[in-house]
Amino acid sequence: MYSQPDEPKRLSERFVALENGDTRLCFVLQEEGGYLYHFERRQAGEWQVISLPNRLISGPSFDLVPTQVTLQGDTLFFSGQGLATDRQGAPLPYPFEGNVTLSPSEGWFRFSVQVDLNAPLSLQHQGEIEPQIVVWLGDLHGFQDRQYLEWHQWQIANPTPSAQGVRGNDLPGLYYYDPMHKTVWILYFDMEEMRWFTHRNMARFLSYECAARMVFAGQDRYGIGLWANDYLGSDFPKGKQRFQWYLRCDEQQQTPAAAQAISTLIEALVPFLPTTTPWPVPEISWHQVAEGAKQELIDENLAFTSVGEGAGYLAYVPKSSQWFETEAHLELVTQTDLLWPWLLWQRDFGSQALQERIAVLQKQLHAFFRPSERFISNDFPLPDGPETVDSWYFFENGLVKWGWIALLSNDATLVNDFLLAFDRATVLAEKVHYLFPMFYEATQQEPLYGYNFANNGLYAYAALLAYQLTQQERYLREAYTALEVLCNLPIDLVHHEPQELAFGAAAAAWLTAIVGDPMTLQWAKQIFDTQMRMAYWYRDPSRRSHGVNVQGMFQACASVLYPALKESVEAILPWIHLIDAGIVPPLMLRVLNLQRKNDLYFFKFDDTRARYIPYENLAMLEFEGQTGEIGKEVYGAGEVFWLALLFEQYAQSEDEECMLLCLDLLDPHAGVDGPGYRFLLWNPLETARTTQLHFQRGSHAPLTVVVSGQGNDRVATQLSPGEPLTVTLAAGEWVRLFLSEAA
């Protein structure tokens, strides 16, 4: 891979440069020997230096300065010798080589460095923890430079921090605005290629962060990179080990606003998330998984129980968890997670057995309501005395899901409970100025401790459900205020559960449809981009992951270090509102398609018990546990039905590579006819595809199908009952489909 070209093109003996538009990477031979690299940008026809000279990798064992640098075409090759120490303290010389290419799209430089160790080396961790990948950008000459940089720089460091400041293991990238050189820098670190991370050295994001730093020890300077903050050991493995990262830099004269910065970062990183991936279980469909889960939950009674005068589902399948003991206790989160999609399922594809369970759960919901406090608890039996509330549990389950269940079931008591609970939540919102706590006391609506500002997304969405039920404009004002606060908070303070932001983006899009304010449409895209920091962009190559592909999933909670099916699916379901509003970024389609396939990794279909109930956790390198040890989550089983409803239940594509998405699952105006009339069809492949679509609605009556392209083209087709629709899509093309019963 790294062999030197036969006839390299040398620009000079001392200077080798690789141009990429108006930026070039320059390797310069130093007087003491070896090449250091820096970046230059073309301004008014002249090349201006925009970084300091840099080493490829930093650290006592990784002082990688190449001695040979050559250029052939658009590839720059380099090689050299490194010197480390083995486990016995003896010198360990080793060769390294690599290249820089222009990849994967316009503007990017890809750095790839490979070291070849004939024995494990002993990391030194003296003065600095090694290895580190750092690009030094400039010197700091005294207090004035430091202050100017502090005031005018802008960075989005990752992985994503929680509102409490603890980082997780999601996005391996960095955005940095350098005001000294008027330059935006974006770095992306290829965690799939860097397979040397272990718990014997640095367990990836338990030790590293992608960030900018100022250093004031000796040579005052600032830079960006992959910095190690801690380490677990000193054993770096032998063999051929790779470091790989991507960098781009673009001119920017003014310090960007938050929305511009996050949008630039996320849109630049789109090429690093693939459009598609192989099916992990090619012979099974989400319809089959949902039918299997339905039978297990109804017939086998794996987790259904009676508690006092109530009945419902336990949070976990008994004896499936190594963490929790099964208790005679019901949680609202489990009942609402199942009941919301079951109401849709039963209306269009149900059975008497499912209807009986729905009736039990709907009756049980009333038992979670505390009339004196006008509050919906997560626990049954209800706790005695004042109740400490984990706020997102109430905002998501007691408001958003409860509101939808009330809307779908047309249950007057549930509607009344919901409106009382929302109005009581407004007391808390006003008391904390829409800066919601993580925990609060329910009776007095008193904030206790922690922060969960992403609750604004759930609160705003619930406000629109209240508006849908009452048509009272005061609920629109509540939604607007909550979204306005959310979109003006510091970007590192808004992450907790990813679906909170998804519902916030959905609320902004839905509010736009009601009031027509272009600002709320901008908020929808801003919140979507902010949410995407919590997505998993890379495959985990560690042994602990056992080949599971987490790409497209979401970290279950900021800093929790693993994906879960519940949060991952609830993080994409609300995007239907964004598509309705015309927000269909390429990244959204990629995530939807990746989850359509990769979410099957949450199951082991050879299990003898509860095989269609998802495991809560998929283990990753940073996570201390193993896949599934938290248990099989009944409170995440509702997502099985959502995935079937989203991708398969109302229509099917014969070409399974083409993604077909139902767009009216969250349409409050769908009425008794329900979903199944609006779809989006996408070809994620690099070649054209032709597929036949079979519609559930087309089996009993003639249909008119209007296919609307990404432009203004619209084609109407008449279908006889049961007749499929043939659609041809170019590479990467998507279309909308609108069904109506023919007159």
Side-chain angles (χ1 to χ4, degrees):
M1 177 177 179
Y2 296 114
S3 59
Q4 294 287 331
D6 295 332
E7 297 180 0
K9 176 185 177 183
R10 291 187 179 276
L11 298 185
S12 74
E13 292 295 324
R14 302 184 58 84
F15 181 90
V16 184
L18 177 61
E19 292 189 20
N20 192 350
D22 287 332
T23 303
R24 71 177 180 181
L25 168 68
C26 308
F27 278 80
V28 181
L29 183 63
Q30 307 300 298
E31 292 295 332
E32 62 274 19
Y35 287 82
L36 300 181
Y37 76 86
H38 68 267
F39 287 92
E40 298 179 357
R41 185 173 61 239
R42 190 177 358 238
Q43 294 179 317
E46 300 290 334
W47 289 104
Q48 304 293 325
V49 175
I50 57 173
S51 80
L52 296 178
N54 285 278
R55 287 163 162 74
L56 291 167
I57 313 290
S58 300
S61 307
F62 296 92
D63 187 17
L64 301 190
V65 178
T67 54
Q68 297 290 326
V69 180
T70 57
L71 183 71
Q72 182 177 14
D74 289 337
T75 302
L76 187 151
F77 296 87
F78 54 77
S79 61
Q81 286 285 124
L83 179 63
T85 302
D86 66 17
R87 290 171 175 170
Q88 289 70 44
L92 179 63
Y94 62 88
F96 71 88
E97 59 183 1
N99 59 46
V100 184
T101 59
L102 307 183
S103 175
S105 61
E106 182 179 353
W108 287 99
F109 293 92
R110 189 199 69 172
F111 287 74
S112 189
V113 182
Q114 183 172 280
V115 300
D116 192 355
L117 301 165
N118 58 25
L121 66 79
S122 180
L123 298 170
Q124 300 304 300
H125 303 319
Q126 296 174 358
E128 62 179 343
I129 303 171
E130 63 168 352
Q132 297 186 143
I133 301 172
V134 178
V135 183
W136 295 107
L137 300 181
D139 293 317
L140 295 173
H141 303 288
F143 177 76
Q144 187 172 0
D145 275 4
R146 170 180 170 172
Q147 192 173 64
Y148 179 83
L149 187 68
E150 178 187 1
W151 287 357
H152 297 281
Q153 70 177 349
W154 184 275
Q155 75 162 315
I156 303 173
N158 291 293
T160 310
S162 69
Q164 318 307 312
V166 181
R167 295 195 184 275
N169 65 342
D170 40 39
L171 177 58
L174 163 71
Y175 173 101
Y176 181 72
Y177 176 67
D178 176 7
M180 301 289 196
H181 298 107
K182 310 297 184 186
T183 301
V184 167
W185 297 84
I186 300 177
L187 283 171
Y188 181 86
F189 297 94
D190 192 340
M191 294 299 163
E192 297 180 43
E193 291 294 328
M194 294 192 278
R195 297 170 180 260
W196 46 267
F197 294 113
T198 72
H199 283 262
R200 296 187 299 274
N201 48 59
M202 282 83 69
R204 204 164 51 203
F205 289 124
L206 288 184
S207 302
Y208 284 100
E209 67 174 324
C210 315
R213 290 186 180 177
M214 290 186 251
V215 175
F216 301 102
Q219 184 179 359
D220 296 353
R221 53 186 176 169
Y222 65 100
I224 55 177
L226 188 67
W227 308 85
N229 299 312
D230 200 356
Y231 63 93
L232 282 74
S234 301
D235 191 19
F236 192 89
K238 70 176 181 180
K240 294 181 179 180
Q241 305 295 339
R242 186 170 299 161
F243 301 82
Q244 189 156 294
W245 67 100
Y246 298 79
L247 179 149
R248 65 177 297 159
C249 50
D250 301 293
E251 183 177 1
Q252 171 92 20
Q253 287 299 313
Q254 300 295 326
T255 301
Q260 180 187 0
I262 188 63
S263 175
T264 299
L265 171 65
I266 296 302
E267 290 176 7
L269 297 183
V270 169
F272 298 107
L273 202 64
T275 60
T276 191
T277 189
W279 288 92
V281 189
E283 70 275 8
I284 199 164
S285 68
W286 282 112
H287 168 78
Q288 292 171 303
V289 178
E291 285 293 337
K294 184 181 72 172
Q295 293 305 315
E296 289 176 340
L297 291 168
I298 292 175
D299 298 333
E300 297 184 18
N301 295 336
L302 285 179
F304 191 76
T305 188
S306 296
V307 179
E309 297 180 357
Y313 286 93
L314 299 170
Y316 293 91
V317 173
K319 299 181 180 180
S320 70
S321 176
Q322 300 176 38
W323 288 26
F324 305 107
E325 295 291 335
T326 303
E327 299 179 359
H329 169 78
L330 301 179
E331 291 190 61
L332 177 68
V333 59
T334 308
Q335 321 317 312
T336 57
D337 188 84
L338 292 171
L339 190 50
W340 182 12
W342 273 4
L343 286 169
L344 288 173
W345 193 279
Q346 176 63 17
R347 183 177 62 191
D348 297 323
F349 315 103
S351 65
Q352 182 60 36
L354 183 60
Q355 182 57 47
E356 291 173 1
R357 283 298 168 84
I358 287 174
V360 171
L361 295 188
Q362 197 166 323
K363 178 182 178 182
Q364 180 61 41
L365 247 58
H366 298 290
F368 288 96
F369 185 69
R370 306 183 69 154
S372 60
E373 290 91 350
R374 289 177 291 159
F375 171 71
I376 299 170
S377 176
N378 186 60
D379 299 302
F380 181 85
L382 296 174
D384 295 328
E387 185 172 345
T388 297
V389 181
D390 188 341
S391 57
W392 79 264
Y393 272 65
F394 166 67
F395 280 90
E396 179 176 318
N397 303 295
L399 293 184
V400 170
K401 292 185 180 179
W402 190 294
W404 261 111
I405 292 166
L407 190 65
L408 290 170
S409 64
N410 198 28
D411 185 318
T413 302
L414 290 180
V415 170
N416 184 65
D417 293 346
F418 165 72
L419 295 174
L420 289 173
F422 183 87
D423 287 347
R424 186 63 173 161
T426 301
V427 174
L428 175 66
E430 293 175 347
K431 181 176 290 188
V432 299
H433 304 287
Y434 299 85
L435 301 175
F436 290 108
M438 185 175 293
F439 293 92
Y440 71 100
E441 190 279 309
T443 302
Q444 300 299 323
Q445 297 290 292
E446 284 294 336
L448 294 177
Y449 52 90
Y451 300 105
N452 187 351
F453 302 139
N455 270 323
N456 282 279
L458 297 172
Y459 180 83
Y461 192 91
L464 296 180
L465 286 171
Y467 172 77
Q468 182 67 34
L469 289 164
T470 67
Q471 297 299 300
Q472 294 182 22
E473 291 191 2
R474 64 188 179 96
Y475 293 116
L476 299 180
R477 292 193 294 271
E478 286 300 309
Y480 189 96
T481 301
L483 292 170
E484 185 176 36
V485 170
L486 179 62
C487 290
N488 285 283
L489 283 167
I491 196 169
D492 280 347
L493 295 180
V494 299
H495 296 280
H496 190 61
E497 296 263 330
Q499 70 271 24
E500 295 176 274
L501 293 174
F503 278 108
W510 191 2
L511 186 60
T512 303
I514 297 171
V515 302
D517 188 342
M519 176 57 71
T520 56
L521 194 63
Q522 294 177 31
W523 287 347
K525 179 58 164 57
Q526 178 184 339
I527 300 171
F528 168 81
D529 290 335
T530 303
Q531 178 195 346
M532 284 306 304
R533 291 179 72 187
M534 293 187 69
Y536 282 110
W537 294 71
Y538 58 95
R539 295 180 67 109
D540 184 353
S542 70
R543 293 181 181 178
R544 182 166 293 180
S545 71
H546 297 292
V548 167
N549 187 357
V550 300
Q551 283 180 310
M553 300 176 189
F554 284 81
Q555 191 174 191
C557 185
S559 80
V560 82
L561 303 177
Y562 67 83
L565 185 67
K566 170 186 166 58
E567 284 82 1
S568 288
V569 175
E570 289 179 0
I572 62 173
L573 175 65
W575 291 352
I576 295 174
H577 289 286
L578 277 73
I579 296 173
D580 275 344
I583 301 175
V584 194
L587 188 59
M588 178 185 290
L589 298 179
R590 295 182 185 218
V591 171
L592 287 163
N593 196 42
L594 289 173
Q595 279 211 32
R596 181 172 70 110
K597 297 182 175 183
N598 288 341
D599 285 351
L600 288 168
Y601 283 111
F602 283 100
F603 305 85
K604 293 181 180 178
F605 294 112
D606 57 354
D607 286 350
T608 58
R609 182 169 174 266
R611 68 183 63 184
Y612 298 106
I613 307 301
Y615 286 107
E616 171 164 338
N617 64 299
L618 298 179
M620 298 185 68
L621 176 62
E622 296 86 354
F623 182 65
E624 294 181 359
Q626 299 298 320
T627 289
E629 73 175 35
I630 300 178
K632 293 199 169 192
E633 55 173 16
V634 180
Y635 69 85
E639 275 54 62
V640 173
F641 298 90
W642 281 124
L643 288 164
L645 291 167
L646 277 168
F647 297 117
E648 297 173 2
Q649 202 66 18
Y650 294 101
Q652 300 81 40
S653 168
E654 287 191 6
D655 184 345
E656 63 181 12
E657 291 303 317
C658 292
M659 182 185 77
L660 187 62
L661 181 72
C662 182
L663 293 180
D664 45 19
L665 291 176
L666 302 184
D667 183 357
H669 304 290
V672 295
D673 291 331
Y677 286 99
R678 298 184 298 132
F679 299 89
L680 182 144
L681 179 68
W682 180 47
N683 172 20
L685 303 181
E686 296 180 356
T687 57
R689 306 287 282 201
T690 297
T691 186
Q692 287 194 321
L693 306 179
H694 299 267
F695 300 104
Q696 178 74 19
R697 297 294 179 190
S699 59
H700 304 296
L703 287 176
T704 298
V705 183
V706 176
V707 179
S708 176
Q710 292 166 244
N712 295 320
D713 51 315
R714 296 170 65 89
V715 177
T717 303
Q718 302 293 319
L719 298 179
S720 302
E723 181 184 359
L725 175 71
T726 301
V727 180
T728 298
L729 295 178
E733 183 184 7
W734 60 265
V735 295
R736 295 173 187 260
L737 300 102
F738 302 87
L739 279 63
S740 61
E741 294 187 2

